Amino acid sequence: MQPPTYPDDLVQAQRHWNTTYQALAAVPRPQNTTALRRRLQQLSVRIWWHPFWSTSPGGSPAGRVELRRLARADEQQAPRSA
């Protein structure tokens, strides 16, 4: 069975979530933790309530795991800018 095709805005939101989480977890601790936490909450809501999840087969917990895996794989393949 093929994994679902995720909308670009959903994948981008997951990538931003990953980046924000990494920034919040950085050592030394960033000074703007409140802003990062708010951003993380906003992105979490955007991802959780995205209309894609109301479709089948996207609405399964496995679909959410696959989205996170896909976003991480894309980040690892993308060249990092200095």
Side-chain angles (χ1 to χ4, degrees), residues 17-69:
W17 191 98
N18 292 347
T19 302
T20 304
Y21 186 88
Q22 290 170 356
L24 190 57
V27 176
R29 189 170 204 147
Q31 293 183 355
N32 59 342
T33 57
T34 301
L36 289 171
R37 286 185 184 130
R38 284 184 184 139
R39 179 74 174 141
L40 201 59
Q41 287 178 332
Q42 291 168 345
L43 290 166
S44 294
V45 168
R46 186 179 303 164
I47 292 166
W48 183 263
W49 293 108
H50 194 281
F52 174 77
W53 302 121
S54 64
T55 66
S56 185
S60 70
R64 294 179 187 273
V65 171
E66 180 62 22
L67 172 65
R68 288 192 297 272
R69 189 202 63 74

Side-chain angles (χ1 to χ4, degrees), residues 4 11 15-16 18 23 25 31 37 48 55 59 70 72 79-80:
V11 175
R15 284 188 199 125
H16 287 302
N18 292 347
Q31 293 183 355
R37 286 185 184 130
W48 183 263
T55 66
L70 175 68
R72 282 191 201 114
R80 299 199 183 240

